[in-house]
Amino acid sequence: MFRRVTATDVARLAGTSQSAVSRVFTPGASVSPETREKVTAAAAQLGYRPNAIARSLITRRSRIVAVAMAYLNNQFYPDVLEALSDRLQAQGYQILLFTADRHAAADPVLEQVMRYQVDAIVLASTSLSSAFARECRQAGVPVVMFNRTTDDPDLLSVTGDNEQGGHAIARFLAAGGHRRPAFIAGLEASSTNRDRELGFTRGLAEAGQAAPLRAVGHYSYEGAVEATRQLLRRDDRPDAIFCANDHMAIACMDVARHEFGLAVPEDLSVIGFDDVGPARWPSYDLTSYSQPLLPMVDATVEILMECMEDPSRPARGVVLKGSLMVRGSARRPMDWGG
Amino acid sequence: MFRRVTATDVARLAGTSQSAVSRVFTPGASVSPETREKVTAAAAQLGYRPNAIARSLITRRSRIVAVAMAYLNNQFYPDVLEALSDRLQAQGYQILLFTADRHAAADPVLEQVMRYQVDAIVLASTSLSSAFARECRQAGVPVVMFNRTTDDPDLLSVTGDNEQGGHAIARFLAAGGHRRPAFIAGLEASSTNRDRELGFTRGLAEAGQAAPLRAVGHYSYEGAVEATRQLLRRDDRPDAIFCANDHMAIACMDVARHEFGLAVPEDLSVIGFDDVGPARWPSYDLTSYSQPLLPMVDATVEILMECMEDPSRPARGVVLKGSLMVRGSARRPMDWGG
């Protein structure tokens, strides 16, 4: 084996100080162009690689951000993960991924997070507990809840305007002359589902309509297949279904068309939430409330950087505005145009 | 702030040695049930959390496996990532994720991998260089190429039987009476595309058919939309299209139906590769060659564990058998049944 090349070796060859070598390999550190060039050339010649873990013991920074995520089969989450990873890499951080077991209490897995001395944590799954987030926060590790909120005023969160989105969908359906709207709920304990349903019910009430029919799809394709069957077997079948995410809306359209022989939107309007890639595939052409994914990711990275800089910054909840993407899966109001 | 609870504190309260505490928190280490119970109780009482990074400097194990991946919008990759993370977590390892920039040479990003002193690397993207993998291998860090092969005999790889899959698809289409089959290629430099195309062309030749019509979709939805348009605008339009992955086959079906008004499979048969979730959605009902995802993930984890145990183990290439999932998107041979 080889002797490991050290920063001292690089500094000697480059004719610089060892601290200059360290600064060149620390993202965001100040260093002159000439020094950077000399150090980079020497490092390349020697095959030098800074050891991030040894450095973390000095700087107390591991340059690792833990991301806890489940439901990677809902395209919203892989898209978030890819964007978040790209943005963090650009800042010199990498994601340590924690996938939660969907069928078990998630906290025991998350206990592992603390063992890696991560610099920050992003909780991007609806099934993880706020209690754990609070515990991390108390240990001085910033936590951002992504796509979920909490009543705990000490926690940071970044979400889309879920209630506003549900409200906009109710108004759109009511204005389009729908009279028996239904709602397929996601995970009932999640803040996303609660807020989307609240806004939807409020919007229908404002339009003088009764509370919607309701079934639960647990945010999964299979769950939504069952929920759609329940709703469409009724004698007072709904004329519109708002699904709490696109992943379920796709299942809903598949069942309506291929099991019940219904035309969408002539016999049944379907609306989703998230605006993921498959919503734009012409087979679905799904009307959906768009979550502002890239602004949400950017806000998350910005908050993480601020909190790592200054852990005493007060907590805040960022809510980013989305918009209704009107496509072909739901009947439009007469005066909607398009 | 609090004083950090140490292994010594836990050992004192539990009445055990410090090394017993360490063994309890090392996955796979031997420890008696009574000792485990005493240590776990004391650790819970004190709020003790082992510091994985400090431990990595002692054991020279970071318990981190780097995974380099791109194309997370192709559902195959999120599914791989979730399964791989679940399996590695069960062994006490976590994934450090590296997303490659699709538009740049990927190696500069991968240089970062080495800084974290990871225990092993999984390269699960077609666009990363074998040269980098070889360099890691020389530095004593095991590398497994996932879903790609290389001519380098020093490298480990796990793939499905891509050539066999292409061959099976050619036989299926020929037996179904198709006379003008076409191929939509993925990334032309990738081993998956090369092997699938080789098998397909060989299978057609064995059935007495000419080489297929051909267009390139680069494994992306947008690329496949363009490639499908090229093929379907021809006077000698193909009667079947094999797309080198499902993600492209979905785009191909969307264009054939919604732009060209063709019925699938009456006017055009479409076959994909991977058997991802959307292939099973009734709107597509896509005939596809199934990649054995879970066996591929299991083999990868097994190889990684073996190599971390004994870095001198010889390299090997594991090829796992898939199977043709016959659904409704391609005309079946008369004697196929079903």
Side-chain angles (χ1 to χ4, degrees), chain A residues 49 52 57 63 82 85-86 94-95 97 99 114-116 135 254 283, chain B residues 49 52 57 63 85 94-95 97 99 102 114-116 135 254 283:
Chain A
R49 288 203 182 81
L57 291 179
R63 296 217 160 255
E82 191 161 27
S85 174
D86 288 346
Q94 298 294 147
I95 286 177
L97 181 66
T99 43
M114 298 303 285
R115 299 198 187 176
Y116 286 90
E135 201 185 338
D254 282 344
S283 294
Chain B
R49 286 204 184 80
L57 290 179
R63 297 218 160 254
S85 174
Q94 299 293 148
I95 286 177
L97 181 65
T99 43
R102 297 178 204 181
M114 298 303 285
R115 298 197 188 178
Y116 286 90
E135 200 185 338
D254 281 345
S283 294

PDB file of all heavy atoms in Angstrom, chain A residues 49 52 57 63 82 85-86 94-95 97 99 114-116 135 254 283, chain B residues 49 52 57 63 85 94-95 97 99 102 114-116 135 254 283:
ATOM      1  N   ARG A  49      -5.882  13.788  -1.495  1.00  0.00           N
ATOM      2  CA  ARG A  49      -7.322  13.913  -1.267  1.00  0.00           C
ATOM      3  C   ARG A  49      -7.550  14.270   0.192  1.00  0.00           C
ATOM      4  O   ARG A  49      -7.180  13.511   1.081  1.00  0.00           O
ATOM      5  CB  ARG A  49      -8.051  12.603  -1.551  1.00  0.00           C
ATOM      6  CG  ARG A  49      -8.128  12.274  -2.990  1.00  0.00           C
ATOM      7  CD  ARG A  49      -9.286  11.328  -3.255  1.00  0.00           C
ATOM      8  NE  ARG A  49      -9.301  10.980  -4.654  1.00  0.00           N
ATOM      9  CZ  ARG A  49      -8.523  10.059  -5.204  1.00  0.00           C
ATOM     10  NH1 ARG A  49      -7.686   9.369  -4.456  1.00  0.00           N
ATOM     11  NH2 ARG A  49      -8.597   9.812  -6.485  1.00  0.00           N
ATOM     12  N   ALA A  52     -12.298  14.095   4.634  1.00  0.00           N
ATOM     13  CA  ALA A  52     -13.411  14.883   5.187  1.00  0.00           C
ATOM     14  C   ALA A  52     -13.719  14.505   6.623  1.00  0.00           C
ATOM     15  O   ALA A  52     -14.129  15.336   7.419  1.00  0.00           O
ATOM     16  CB  ALA A  52     -14.656  14.713   4.323  1.00  0.00           C
ATOM     17  N   LEU A  57     -13.498  16.379  12.533  1.00  0.00           N
ATOM     18  CA  LEU A  57     -13.161  16.373  13.957  1.00  0.00           C
ATOM     19  C   LEU A  57     -12.482  17.677  14.360  1.00  0.00           C
ATOM     20  O   LEU A  57     -12.523  18.079  15.511  1.00  0.00           O
ATOM     21  CB  LEU A  57     -12.264  15.181  14.288  1.00  0.00           C
ATOM     22  CG  LEU A  57     -12.950  13.823  14.195  1.00  0.00           C
ATOM     23  CD1 LEU A  57     -11.972  12.729  14.527  1.00  0.00           C
ATOM     24  CD2 LEU A  57     -14.158  13.755  15.125  1.00  0.00           C
ATOM     25  N   ARG A  63     -19.893  17.890   7.153  1.00  0.00           N
ATOM     26  CA  ARG A  63     -20.335  18.198   5.781  1.00  0.00           C
ATOM     27  C   ARG A  63     -21.287  17.127   5.259  1.00  0.00           C
ATOM     28  O   ARG A  63     -21.315  16.814   4.080  1.00  0.00           O
ATOM     29  CB  ARG A  63     -19.144  18.409   4.844  1.00  0.00           C
ATOM     30  CG  ARG A  63     -18.323  19.617   5.251  1.00  0.00           C
ATOM     31  CD  ARG A  63     -17.764  20.410   4.089  1.00  0.00           C
ATOM     32  NE  ARG A  63     -17.409  21.754   4.511  1.00  0.00           N
ATOM     33  CZ  ARG A  63     -18.119  22.839   4.226  1.00  0.00           C
ATOM     34  NH1 ARG A  63     -19.210  22.746   3.513  1.00  0.00           N
ATOM     35  NH2 ARG A  63     -17.735  24.015   4.665  1.00  0.00           N
ATOM     36  N   GLU A  82     -33.185  14.446  -5.789  1.00  0.00           N
ATOM     37  CA  GLU A  82     -32.188  14.812  -6.793  1.00  0.00           C
ATOM     38  C   GLU A  82     -31.876  16.312  -6.724  1.00  0.00           C
ATOM     39  O   GLU A  82     -30.712  16.716  -6.731  1.00  0.00           O
ATOM     40  CB  GLU A  82     -32.684  14.414  -8.194  1.00  0.00           C
ATOM     41  CG  GLU A  82     -31.617  14.516  -9.256  1.00  0.00           C
ATOM     42  CD  GLU A  82     -31.955  13.691 -10.506  1.00  0.00           C
ATOM     43  OE1 GLU A  82     -33.155  13.471 -10.784  1.00  0.00           O
ATOM     44  OE2 GLU A  82     -31.010  13.275 -11.208  1.00  0.00           O
ATOM     45  N   SER A  85     -29.958  17.096  -3.468  1.00  0.00           N
ATOM     46  CA  SER A  85     -28.580  16.624  -3.549  1.00  0.00           C
ATOM     47  C   SER A  85     -27.737  17.544  -4.433  1.00  0.00           C
ATOM     48  O   SER A  85     -26.615  17.908  -4.076  1.00  0.00           O
ATOM     49  CB  SER A  85     -28.568  15.190  -4.090  1.00  0.00           C
ATOM     50  OG  SER A  85     -27.248  14.758  -4.303  1.00  0.00           O
ATOM     51  N   ASP A  86     -28.274  17.942  -5.579  1.00  0.00           N
ATOM     52  CA  ASP A  86     -27.533  18.839  -6.475  1.00  0.00           C
ATOM     53  C   ASP A  86     -27.194  20.151  -5.768  1.00  0.00           C
ATOM     54  O   ASP A  86     -26.060  20.628  -5.832  1.00  0.00           O
ATOM     55  CB  ASP A  86     -28.358  19.138  -7.737  1.00  0.00           C
ATOM     56  CG  ASP A  86     -28.451  17.936  -8.669  1.00  0.00           C
ATOM     57  OD1 ASP A  86     -27.682  16.972  -8.481  1.00  0.00           O
ATOM     58  OD2 ASP A  86     -29.298  17.963  -9.588  1.00  0.00           O
ATOM     59  N   GLN A  94     -22.922  16.620   1.341  1.00  0.00           N
ATOM     60  CA  GLN A  94     -23.508  15.424   0.732  1.00  0.00           C
ATOM     61  C   GLN A  94     -24.652  14.926   1.598  1.00  0.00           C
ATOM     62  O   GLN A  94     -24.679  15.141   2.803  1.00  0.00           O
ATOM     63  CB  GLN A  94     -22.468  14.305   0.606  1.00  0.00           C
ATOM     64  CG  GLN A  94     -21.276  14.619  -0.274  1.00  0.00           C
ATOM     65  CD  GLN A  94     -21.582  14.808  -1.740  1.00  0.00           C
ATOM     66  OE1 GLN A  94     -20.944  15.592  -2.428  1.00  0.00           O
ATOM     67  NE2 GLN A  94     -22.588  14.089  -2.232  1.00  0.00           N
ATOM     68  N   ILE A  95     -25.547  14.216   0.939  1.00  0.00           N
ATOM     69  CA  ILE A  95     -26.711  13.648   1.639  1.00  0.00           C
ATOM     70  C   ILE A  95     -26.406  12.241   2.142  1.00  0.00           C
ATOM     71  O   ILE A  95     -25.945  11.394   1.380  1.00  0.00           O
ATOM     72  CB  ILE A  95     -27.927  13.598   0.689  1.00  0.00           C
ATOM     73  CG1 ILE A  95     -28.497  15.001   0.485  1.00  0.00           C
ATOM     74  CG2 ILE A  95     -29.005  12.643   1.233  1.00  0.00           C
ATOM     75  CD1 ILE A  95     -29.653  15.050  -0.499  1.00  0.00           C
ATOM     76  N   LEU A  97     -28.490   9.224   3.323  1.00  0.00           N
ATOM     77  CA  LEU A  97     -29.908   8.888   3.141  1.00  0.00           C
ATOM     78  C   LEU A  97     -30.405   7.911   4.199  1.00  0.00           C
ATOM     79  O   LEU A  97     -29.762   6.888   4.460  1.00  0.00           O
ATOM     80  CB  LEU A  97     -30.098   8.278   1.749  1.00  0.00           C
ATOM     81  CG  LEU A  97     -31.526   7.894   1.361  1.00  0.00           C
ATOM     82  CD1 LEU A  97     -32.415   9.123   1.252  1.00  0.00           C
ATOM     83  CD2 LEU A  97     -31.517   7.114   0.045  1.00  0.00           C
ATOM     84  N   THR A  99     -33.796   5.783   4.761  1.00  0.00           N
ATOM     85  CA  THR A  99     -35.122   5.408   4.280  1.00  0.00           C
ATOM     86  C   THR A  99     -35.872   4.784   5.444  1.00  0.00           C
ATOM     87  O   THR A  99     -35.378   3.873   6.105  1.00  0.00           O
ATOM     88  CB  THR A  99     -35.008   4.401   3.129  1.00  0.00           C
ATOM     89  OG1 THR A  99     -34.020   3.423   3.439  1.00  0.00           O
ATOM     90  CG2 THR A  99     -34.611   5.099   1.848  1.00  0.00           C
ATOM     91  N   MET A 114     -28.106  10.269  14.525  1.00  0.00           N
ATOM     92  CA  MET A 114     -27.250  11.001  15.438  1.00  0.00           C
ATOM     93  C   MET A 114     -25.844  10.406  15.532  1.00  0.00           C
ATOM     94  O   MET A 114     -24.899  11.094  15.868  1.00  0.00           O
ATOM     95  CB  MET A 114     -27.887  11.039  16.827  1.00  0.00           C
ATOM     96  CG  MET A 114     -29.229  11.748  16.859  1.00  0.00           C
ATOM     97  SD  MET A 114     -29.142  13.456  16.232  1.00  0.00           S
ATOM     98  CE  MET A 114     -28.344  14.247  17.625  1.00  0.00           C
ATOM     99  N   ARG A 115     -25.737   9.119  15.236  1.00  0.00           N
ATOM    100  CA  ARG A 115     -24.421   8.483  15.346  1.00  0.00           C
ATOM    101  C   ARG A 115     -23.412   9.032  14.356  1.00  0.00           C
ATOM    102  O   ARG A 115     -22.219   8.909  14.556  1.00  0.00           O
ATOM    103  CB  ARG A 115     -24.549   6.980  15.078  1.00  0.00           C
ATOM    104  CG  ARG A 115     -25.444   6.276  16.047  1.00  0.00           C
ATOM    105  CD  ARG A 115     -25.152   4.811  15.979  1.00  0.00           C
ATOM    106  NE  ARG A 115     -26.112   4.072  16.773  1.00  0.00           N
ATOM    107  CZ  ARG A 115     -26.143   2.758  16.846  1.00  0.00           C
ATOM    108  NH1 ARG A 115     -25.269   2.058  16.140  1.00  0.00           N
ATOM    109  NH2 ARG A 115     -27.017   2.153  17.586  1.00  0.00           N
ATOM    110  N   TYR A 116     -23.907   9.557  13.244  1.00  0.00           N
ATOM    111  CA  TYR A 116     -22.994  10.039  12.200  1.00  0.00           C
ATOM    112  C   TYR A 116     -22.598  11.495  12.388  1.00  0.00           C
ATOM    113  O   TYR A 116     -21.912  12.050  11.563  1.00  0.00           O
ATOM    114  CB  TYR A 116     -23.609   9.824  10.818  1.00  0.00           C
ATOM    115  CG  TYR A 116     -23.585   8.368  10.400  1.00  0.00           C
ATOM    116  CD1 TYR A 116     -24.635   7.513  10.699  1.00  0.00           C
ATOM    117  CD2 TYR A 116     -22.481   7.840   9.736  1.00  0.00           C
ATOM    118  CE1 TYR A 116     -24.602   6.178  10.334  1.00  0.00           C
ATOM    119  CE2 TYR A 116     -22.437   6.513   9.360  1.00  0.00           C
ATOM    120  CZ  TYR A 116     -23.498   5.680   9.670  1.00  0.00           C
ATOM    121  OH  TYR A 116     -23.451   4.357   9.307  1.00  0.00           O
ATOM    122  N   GLU A 135     -35.988  16.642  19.553  1.00  0.00           N
ATOM    123  CA  GLU A 135     -34.822  16.119  20.266  1.00  0.00           C
ATOM    124  C   GLU A 135     -33.514  16.514  19.561  1.00  0.00           C
ATOM    125  O   GLU A 135     -32.543  16.918  20.204  1.00  0.00           O
ATOM    126  CB  GLU A 135     -34.944  14.593  20.335  1.00  0.00           C
ATOM    127  CG  GLU A 135     -34.133  13.931  21.423  1.00  0.00           C
ATOM    128  CD  GLU A 135     -34.240  12.406  21.332  1.00  0.00           C
ATOM    129  OE1 GLU A 135     -35.218  11.906  20.738  1.00  0.00           O
ATOM    130  OE2 GLU A 135     -33.337  11.735  21.838  1.00  0.00           O
ATOM    131  N   ASP A 254     -56.958   5.387 -13.688  1.00  0.00           N
ATOM    132  CA  ASP A 254     -56.829   4.022 -14.230  1.00  0.00           C
ATOM    133  C   ASP A 254     -58.056   3.179 -13.877  1.00  0.00           C
ATOM    134  O   ASP A 254     -58.609   2.481 -14.729  1.00  0.00           O
ATOM    135  CB  ASP A 254     -55.555   3.345 -13.694  1.00  0.00           C
ATOM    136  CG  ASP A 254     -54.288   3.813 -14.416  1.00  0.00           C
ATOM    137  OD1 ASP A 254     -54.407   4.408 -15.506  1.00  0.00           O
ATOM    138  OD2 ASP A 254     -53.187   3.573 -13.890  1.00  0.00           O
ATOM    139  N   SER A 283     -51.368  10.424 -21.544  1.00  0.00           N
ATOM    140  CA  SER A 283     -52.356   9.421 -21.136  1.00  0.00           C
ATOM    141  C   SER A 283     -53.144   9.884 -19.915  1.00  0.00           C
ATOM    142  O   SER A 283     -54.259   9.432 -19.688  1.00  0.00           O
ATOM    143  CB  SER A 283     -51.679   8.094 -20.801  1.00  0.00           C
ATOM    144  OG  SER A 283     -51.105   7.551 -21.956  1.00  0.00           O
TER     145      SER A 283
ATOM    146  N   ARG B  49     -25.427   8.302  22.779  1.00  0.00           N
ATOM    147  CA  ARG B  49     -25.408   7.976  21.348  1.00  0.00           C
ATOM    148  C   ARG B  49     -23.964   7.790  20.901  1.00  0.00           C
ATOM    149  O   ARG B  49     -23.165   8.711  21.014  1.00  0.00           O
ATOM    150  CB  ARG B  49     -26.001   9.113  20.518  1.00  0.00           C
ATOM    151  CG  ARG B  49     -27.480   9.196  20.635  1.00  0.00           C
ATOM    152  CD  ARG B  49     -28.047   9.886  19.425  1.00  0.00           C
ATOM    153  NE  ARG B  49     -29.482  10.040  19.604  1.00  0.00           N
ATOM    154  CZ  ARG B  49     -30.032  11.010  20.340  1.00  0.00           C
ATOM    155  NH1 ARG B  49     -29.277  11.909  20.920  1.00  0.00           N
ATOM    156  NH2 ARG B  49     -31.334  11.067  20.462  1.00  0.00           N
ATOM    157  N   ALA B  52     -20.409   7.758  15.445  1.00  0.00           N
ATOM    158  CA  ALA B  52     -19.933   6.882  14.361  1.00  0.00           C
ATOM    159  C   ALA B  52     -18.652   7.389  13.733  1.00  0.00           C
ATOM    160  O   ALA B  52     -17.816   6.617  13.290  1.00  0.00           O
ATOM    161  CB  ALA B  52     -21.015   6.730  13.299  1.00  0.00           C
ATOM    162  N   LEU B  57     -12.594   6.379  13.016  1.00  0.00           N
ATOM    163  CA  LEU B  57     -11.148   6.613  13.056  1.00  0.00           C
ATOM    164  C   LEU B  57     -10.439   5.491  13.806  1.00  0.00           C
ATOM    165  O   LEU B  57      -9.264   5.245  13.599  1.00  0.00           O
ATOM    166  CB  LEU B  57     -10.843   7.954  13.708  1.00  0.00           C
ATOM    167  CG  LEU B  57     -11.261   9.163  12.862  1.00  0.00           C
ATOM    168  CD1 LEU B  57     -10.941  10.443  13.603  1.00  0.00           C
ATOM    169  CD2 LEU B  57     -10.570   9.150  11.506  1.00  0.00           C
ATOM    170  N   ARG B  63     -18.692   3.097   8.023  1.00  0.00           N
ATOM    171  CA  ARG B  63     -20.055   2.558   7.887  1.00  0.00           C
ATOM    172  C   ARG B  63     -20.890   3.386   6.927  1.00  0.00           C
ATOM    173  O   ARG B  63     -22.088   3.554   7.077  1.00  0.00           O
ATOM    174  CB  ARG B  63     -20.736   2.414   9.254  1.00  0.00           C
ATOM    175  CG  ARG B  63     -20.012   1.408  10.144  1.00  0.00           C
ATOM    176  CD  ARG B  63     -20.938   0.567  10.982  1.00  0.00           C
ATOM    177  NE  ARG B  63     -20.250  -0.643  11.436  1.00  0.00           N
ATOM    178  CZ  ARG B  63     -20.479  -1.850  10.933  1.00  0.00           C
ATOM    179  NH1 ARG B  63     -21.377  -2.030   9.994  1.00  0.00           N
ATOM    180  NH2 ARG B  63     -19.800  -2.903  11.371  1.00  0.00           N
ATOM    181  N   SER B  85     -30.871   0.983   0.149  1.00  0.00           N
ATOM    182  CA  SER B  85     -30.780   1.649   1.441  1.00  0.00           C
ATOM    183  C   SER B  85     -31.360   0.764   2.550  1.00  0.00           C
ATOM    184  O   SER B  85     -30.754   0.623   3.620  1.00  0.00           O
ATOM    185  CB  SER B  85     -31.529   2.984   1.377  1.00  0.00           C
ATOM    186  OG  SER B  85     -31.577   3.575   2.652  1.00  0.00           O
ATOM    187  N   GLN B  94     -25.052   3.145   6.022  1.00  0.00           N
ATOM    188  CA  GLN B  94     -25.927   4.142   5.413  1.00  0.00           C
ATOM    189  C   GLN B  94     -25.357   4.561   4.074  1.00  0.00           C
ATOM    190  O   GLN B  94     -24.158   4.514   3.843  1.00  0.00           O
ATOM    191  CB  GLN B  94     -26.044   5.382   6.300  1.00  0.00           C
ATOM    192  CG  GLN B  94     -26.631   5.137   7.666  1.00  0.00           C
ATOM    193  CD  GLN B  94     -28.099   4.729   7.669  1.00  0.00           C
ATOM    194  OE1 GLN B  94     -28.547   3.976   8.523  1.00  0.00           O
ATOM    195  NE2 GLN B  94     -28.865   5.218   6.697  1.00  0.00           N
ATOM    196  N   ILE B  95     -26.254   5.033   3.225  1.00  0.00           N
ATOM    197  CA  ILE B  95     -25.861   5.494   1.889  1.00  0.00           C
ATOM    198  C   ILE B  95     -25.534   6.981   1.911  1.00  0.00           C
ATOM    199  O   ILE B  95     -26.328   7.792   2.394  1.00  0.00           O
ATOM    200  CB  ILE B  95     -27.001   5.244   0.881  1.00  0.00           C
ATOM    201  CG1 ILE B  95     -27.097   3.762   0.549  1.00  0.00           C
ATOM    202  CG2 ILE B  95     -26.796   6.074  -0.393  1.00  0.00           C
ATOM    203  CD1 ILE B  95     -28.238   3.409  -0.383  1.00  0.00           C
ATOM    204  N   LEU B  97     -25.200   9.766  -0.720  1.00  0.00           N
ATOM    205  CA  LEU B  97     -25.667   9.859  -2.101  1.00  0.00           C
ATOM    206  C   LEU B  97     -24.872  10.876  -2.918  1.00  0.00           C
ATOM    207  O   LEU B  97     -24.657  12.001  -2.467  1.00  0.00           O
ATOM    208  CB  LEU B  97     -27.152  10.259  -2.106  1.00  0.00           C
ATOM    209  CG  LEU B  97     -27.823  10.376  -3.475  1.00  0.00           C
ATOM    210  CD1 LEU B  97     -27.889   9.024  -4.177  1.00  0.00           C
ATOM    211  CD2 LEU B  97     -29.220  10.978  -3.318  1.00  0.00           C
ATOM    212  N   THR B  99     -25.234  12.529  -6.584  1.00  0.00           N
ATOM    213  CA  THR B  99     -25.980  12.641  -7.826  1.00  0.00           C
ATOM    214  C   THR B  99     -25.065  13.276  -8.864  1.00  0.00           C
ATOM    215  O   THR B  99     -24.462  14.315  -8.621  1.00  0.00           O
ATOM    216  CB  THR B  99     -27.241  13.500  -7.639  1.00  0.00           C
ATOM    217  OG1 THR B  99     -26.915  14.640  -6.865  1.00  0.00           O
ATOM    218  CG2 THR B  99     -28.310  12.709  -6.918  1.00  0.00           C
ATOM    219  N   ARG B 102     -25.875  15.423 -15.082  1.00  0.00           N
ATOM    220  CA  ARG B 102     -26.061  14.676 -16.329  1.00  0.00           C
ATOM    221  C   ARG B 102     -25.359  15.326 -17.508  1.00  0.00           C
ATOM    222  O   ARG B 102     -25.150  14.722 -18.530  1.00  0.00           O
ATOM    223  CB  ARG B 102     -27.552  14.623 -16.683  1.00  0.00           C
ATOM    224  CG  ARG B 102     -28.328  13.894 -15.652  1.00  0.00           C
ATOM    225  CD  ARG B 102     -29.784  13.913 -16.037  1.00  0.00           C
ATOM    226  NE  ARG B 102     -30.575  13.744 -14.835  1.00  0.00           N
ATOM    227  CZ  ARG B 102     -31.882  13.702 -14.807  1.00  0.00           C
ATOM    228  NH1 ARG B 102     -32.556  13.830 -15.925  1.00  0.00           N
ATOM    229  NH2 ARG B 102     -32.516  13.543 -13.690  1.00  0.00           N
ATOM    230  N   MET B 114     -14.073  10.254  -2.338  1.00  0.00           N
ATOM    231  CA  MET B 114     -12.919   9.789  -1.591  1.00  0.00           C
ATOM    232  C   MET B 114     -12.675  10.600  -0.324  1.00  0.00           C
ATOM    233  O   MET B 114     -12.091  10.114   0.633  1.00  0.00           O
ATOM    234  CB  MET B 114     -11.672   9.828  -2.472  1.00  0.00           C
ATOM    235  CG  MET B 114     -11.757   8.925  -3.690  1.00  0.00           C
ATOM    236  SD  MET B 114     -12.086   7.189  -3.266  1.00  0.00           S
ATOM    237  CE  MET B 114     -10.465   6.700  -2.656  1.00  0.00           C
ATOM    238  N   ARG B 115     -13.142  11.828  -0.321  1.00  0.00           N
ATOM    239  CA  ARG B 115     -12.911  12.681   0.845  1.00  0.00           C
ATOM    240  C   ARG B 115     -13.622  12.169   2.088  1.00  0.00           C
ATOM    241  O   ARG B 115     -13.256  12.508   3.205  1.00  0.00           O
ATOM    242  CB  ARG B 115     -13.436  14.086   0.575  1.00  0.00           C
ATOM    243  CG  ARG B 115     -12.750  14.770  -0.567  1.00  0.00           C
ATOM    244  CD  ARG B 115     -13.028  16.235  -0.473  1.00  0.00           C
ATOM    245  NE  ARG B 115     -12.536  16.919  -1.656  1.00  0.00           N
ATOM    246  CZ  ARG B 115     -12.674  18.209  -1.847  1.00  0.00           C
ATOM    247  NH1 ARG B 115     -13.314  18.940  -0.946  1.00  0.00           N
ATOM    248  NH2 ARG B 115     -12.192  18.781  -2.920  1.00  0.00           N
ATOM    249  N   TYR B 116     -14.711  11.423   1.889  1.00  0.00           N
ATOM    250  CA  TYR B 116     -15.490  10.969   3.043  1.00  0.00           C
ATOM    251  C   TYR B 116     -15.011   9.624   3.571  1.00  0.00           C
ATOM    252  O   TYR B 116     -15.610   9.066   4.462  1.00  0.00           O
ATOM    253  CB  TYR B 116     -16.977  10.905   2.681  1.00  0.00           C
ATOM    254  CG  TYR B 116     -17.607  12.275   2.599  1.00  0.00           C
ATOM    255  CD1 TYR B 116     -17.620  12.971   1.406  1.00  0.00           C
ATOM    256  CD2 TYR B 116     -18.145  12.875   3.722  1.00  0.00           C
ATOM    257  CE1 TYR B 116     -18.182  14.241   1.330  1.00  0.00           C
ATOM    258  CE2 TYR B 116     -18.705  14.137   3.652  1.00  0.00           C
ATOM    259  CZ  TYR B 116     -18.716  14.817   2.454  1.00  0.00           C
ATOM    260  OH  TYR B 116     -19.267  16.071   2.393  1.00  0.00           O
ATOM    261  N   GLU B 135      -9.552   3.436 -10.188  1.00  0.00           N
ATOM    262  CA  GLU B 135      -8.738   4.212  -9.252  1.00  0.00           C
ATOM    263  C   GLU B 135      -9.148   3.932  -7.795  1.00  0.00           C
ATOM    264  O   GLU B 135      -8.298   3.756  -6.925  1.00  0.00           O
ATOM    265  CB  GLU B 135      -8.932   5.698  -9.585  1.00  0.00           C
ATOM    266  CG  GLU B 135      -7.844   6.613  -9.072  1.00  0.00           C
ATOM    267  CD  GLU B 135      -8.199   8.079  -9.363  1.00  0.00           C
ATOM    268  OE1 GLU B 135      -9.014   8.329 -10.278  1.00  0.00           O
ATOM    269  OE2 GLU B 135      -7.666   8.951  -8.671  1.00  0.00           O
ATOM    270  N   ASP B 254     -47.250   7.093 -25.627  1.00  0.00           N
ATOM    271  CA  ASP B 254     -47.972   8.372 -25.576  1.00  0.00           C
ATOM    272  C   ASP B 254     -47.968   9.053 -26.949  1.00  0.00           C
ATOM    273  O   ASP B 254     -48.998   9.550 -27.407  1.00  0.00           O
ATOM    274  CB  ASP B 254     -47.329   9.300 -24.524  1.00  0.00           C
ATOM    275  CG  ASP B 254     -47.746   8.939 -23.092  1.00  0.00           C
ATOM    276  OD1 ASP B 254     -48.723   8.184 -22.920  1.00  0.00           O
ATOM    277  OD2 ASP B 254     -47.094   9.420 -22.150  1.00  0.00           O
ATOM    278  N   SER B 283     -53.170   2.009 -18.047  1.00  0.00           N
ATOM    279  CA  SER B 283     -53.097   2.889 -19.213  1.00  0.00           C
ATOM    280  C   SER B 283     -51.974   2.468 -20.146  1.00  0.00           C
ATOM    281  O   SER B 283     -52.010   2.764 -21.338  1.00  0.00           O
ATOM    282  CB  SER B 283     -52.860   4.340 -18.791  1.00  0.00           C
ATOM    283  OG  SER B 283     -53.974   4.812 -18.078  1.00  0.00           O
TER     284      SER B 283
END
